[in-house]
Amino acid sequence: MPTRDEFDDDAAHEALVAKFKAAFREEYECHRALSGLKGFPRLYGWGEVDGVPAIVMEWVEGETLARLRSRLAVDDAGRLSPLVAARLGRDLFDLLCRMSLVGEGFVHRDISPANIMVRTARLPLDRQLAEGTFDLCLIDFGSSLALEPASAVAGTGGKASFTERYATLRRATVAYAPPEMLTDDIPDLRALRMSPAIDVYAAASTVYELIAGVAPYEAAPSTSGASGSRKKTRDIASPYRLKMDTRPDYPIGAHAPGCDLTQLLRREPDVALAAAEQAQQLGLEPDSEELRDALAFVDAQLFDVVMACLSSHQKDRPEPAAVEAALSAFCDHYAQNVGRSLRGEPLTPCPMDASGRAVRRALMVGATVVCGVVWAVVVVSAALLASGARVTATLGSLVWSGSLPGIIAALALALPGIAGVAAGALARDRRSGFLQGVLALSACEVPVLVVAACSVFPNAP
């Protein structure tokens, strides 16, 4: 709760408390939209404790990337293996893609290493490293925003944001935020701050730091000689002007010239395996300059993807799905591309293209439609064949005999499937949706099977 200044009167302090509670409630409502989706903490409720607002939520077991970075680093500069950084980035951008599935979309607006956790409840970190996939979870939704339809944003009738209602901005973390989150006096500010491009920039800045050991724009002087030439925010009038007027330096990864490749590969088992296999085929020493150059050449693909996301203009940044697809391609083809680089062959590209994801989604939709049509044809056909059939049903002392109406046959066949699909669709995530769907299907199907088992069709062959 806000502390009361000695010069504040009751009305001023109550207004400040009201703003604080409104911001807290809006954070809860935004977070609730994502609760239950994989990669986001589950919420259990909201209320007040002794007048102080409180959110009851899942305890996320794990550590933030900010704390893990030194543990995952492969050198003294704090840099991660480019392959590990790419895998973390791929899984981070996958979370951004999931946020687009909620309503009109969702923007976190404060993505940073401190707000990204690696869960360790299911798998310890070492196992996640070995498997090459990470159980990430986004936290801290104090700056988040559920998106509105474009017409509401462009027009005057849309719901005002918290910033507009209370003339205050819940700031993003400066080192990772895009320029539009660092100023209040540019045109179309509301529309700019309601864009997934904000999270693309911040997530790419996070991956940049994993690669290079420093954020794209350092806010404080560095003690490292490798970063001494980087632009400092203190040299520019504002962080906004810095990010609008200058481009970040191209990242310097762990496989840069002068690195101790032998020591690095001891901390990069997947890279070491790929490098050793290719070096053996070509008769190269495992610490040869040719091998280091080949690794650096492959790493440049990752750097290009990250740099494309750090444009100062939103319209020039790729969609989250496109970045996720490019990072997936980088990870999938890494070992193959090391060999290609050593042989002087063109690398398998990492296109910034989400068409593969779109094709898979279209195929899933198409398969669902086909299955639905086949199911409907089977139900209707069976109902027509059963319509008018003589049936005798005996359930204990109860006996019924007569012609079977077609509508009854159709409902008996259709209702279990409809109930299962409806129950699954209402669930918050796939796992609970599957379980709820199976339970609903069973609850409707069992009575039908019991009645069918107690029935006799005299005219049946």
Side-chain angles (χ1 to χ4, degrees):
M1 291 286 287
T3 57
R4 180 167 182 170
D5 190 279
E6 60 179 326
F7 300 106
D8 285 347
D9 56 26
D10 291 341
H13 182 67
E14 288 177 4
L16 187 61
V17 170
K19 291 180 183 181
F20 173 82
K21 289 185 176 181
F24 204 75
R25 179 70 186 193
E26 184 153 320
E27 176 181 349
Y28 170 77
E29 294 296 339
C30 288
H31 188 172
R32 188 175 66 169
L34 297 169
S35 177
L37 288 178
K38 186 177 184 298
F40 305 93
R42 185 180 292 275
L43 292 187
Y44 300 119
W46 179 89
E48 292 190 5
V49 179
D50 296 331
V52 180
I55 294 176
V56 182
M57 62 183 293
E58 168 192 10
W59 172 262
V60 180
E61 182 177 336
E63 292 190 73
T64 66
L65 275 183
R67 293 177 60 89
L68 283 176
R69 191 164 66 85
S70 60
R71 177 178 169 185
L72 297 175
V74 296
D75 63 15
D76 294 338
R79 296 178 288 204
L80 273 63
S81 166
L83 181 57
V84 173
R87 288 169 172 171
L88 284 163
R90 173 201 61 200
D91 297 340
L92 174 58
F93 275 92
D94 183 57
L95 293 187
L96 270 57
C97 293
R98 291 179 205 169
M99 290 196 292
S100 67
L101 303 177
V102 178
E104 296 291 332
F106 199 91
V107 187
H108 185 279
R109 302 204 298 186
D110 192 16
I111 291 178
S112 70
N115 290 335
I116 303 165
M117 293 194 70
V118 179
R119 293 178 183 264
T120 55
R122 187 178 64 88
L123 282 179
L125 179 63
D126 292 343
R127 282 281 303 281
Q128 295 183 52
L129 279 167
E131 294 184 5
T133 58
F134 294 91
D135 191 1
L136 301 185
C137 182
L138 277 180
I139 61 173
D140 192 352
F141 290 79
S143 296
S144 60
L145 184 71
L147 301 185
E148 302 172 18
S151 58
V153 178
T156 58
K159 180 183 71 175
S161 68
F162 178 87
T163 297
E164 293 169 320
R165 290 198 303 273
Y166 298 108
T168 183
L169 173 63
R170 294 173 290 183
R171 293 285 181 183
T173 305
V174 174
Y176 311 95
E180 62 267 22
M181 290 296 291
L182 303 175
T183 184
D184 300 331
D185 58 357
I186 56 176
D188 302 320
L189 186 60
R190 183 185 178 204
L192 290 172
R193 286 185 177 159
M194 296 183 69
S195 170
I198 292 171
D199 289 343
V200 168
Y201 188 104
S205 296
T206 298
V207 178
Y208 184 111
E209 184 175 54
L210 299 179
I211 294 168
V214 290
Y217 299 92
E218 288 187 9
S222 170
T223 57
S224 169
S227 302
S229 63
R230 293 185 179 274
K231 308 168 184 71
K232 309 296 191 298
T233 55
R234 65 176 185 172
D235 300 329
I236 307 293
S238 70
Y240 169 75
R241 285 262 53 97
L242 171 68
K243 295 192 176 188
M244 286 298 297
D245 297 342
T246 62
R247 287 279 291 169
D249 294 338
Y250 199 73
I252 301 174
H255 301 140
C259 71
D260 186 341
L261 190 58
T262 302
Q263 292 296 326
L264 284 176
L265 293 181
R266 289 176 181 172
R267 306 192 68 176
E268 300 181 276
D270 289 346
V271 177
L273 181 63
E277 180 180 354
Q278 299 300 330
Q280 185 177 17
Q281 291 178 6
L282 298 174
L284 297 176
E285 293 296 326
D287 60 348
S288 65
E289 187 174 340
E290 292 92 334
L291 181 57
R292 188 212 66 206
D293 291 343
L295 293 175
F297 189 66
V298 175
D299 295 345
Q301 286 188 316
L302 170 62
F303 304 164
D304 291 340
V305 171
V306 171
M307 292 298 289
C309 301
L310 297 179
S311 171
S312 58
H313 301 288
Q314 282 190 356
K315 61 182 178 62
D316 296 330
R317 299 172 205 158
E319 295 291 326
V323 184
E324 192 269 343
L327 294 176
S328 294
F330 176 85
C331 298
D332 293 343
H333 301 303
Y334 189 85
Q336 178 189 72
N337 277 337
V338 171
R340 287 178 173 271
S341 179
L342 285 169
R343 294 190 297 270
E345 300 172 359
L347 303 184
T348 301
C350 303
M352 198 83 70
D353 181 10
S355 59
R357 174 185 288 265
V359 169
R360 291 193 298 271
R361 184 171 296 174
L363 289 174
M364 290 179 62
V365 172
T368 302
V369 171
V370 170
C371 291
V373 171
V374 172
W375 173 78
V377 169
V378 170
V379 168
V380 172
S381 300
L384 291 175
L385 291 172
S387 179
R390 296 291 300 175
V391 61
T392 299
T394 303
L395 187 60
S397 60
L398 300 176
V399 179
W400 178 86
S401 181
S403 298
L404 180 64
I407 186 64
I408 297 298
L411 288 175
L413 292 168
L415 279 180
I418 293 174
V421 171
L426 293 174
R428 289 183 174 272
D429 55 67
R430 290 184 179 180
R431 179 177 297 178
S432 60
F434 174 77
L435 294 175
Q436 291 179 26
V438 169
L439 291 174
L441 177 66
S442 302
C444 294
E445 189 69 34
V446 169
V448 173
L449 294 176
V450 170
V451 172
C454 297
S455 302
V456 177
F457 296 84
N459 296 333

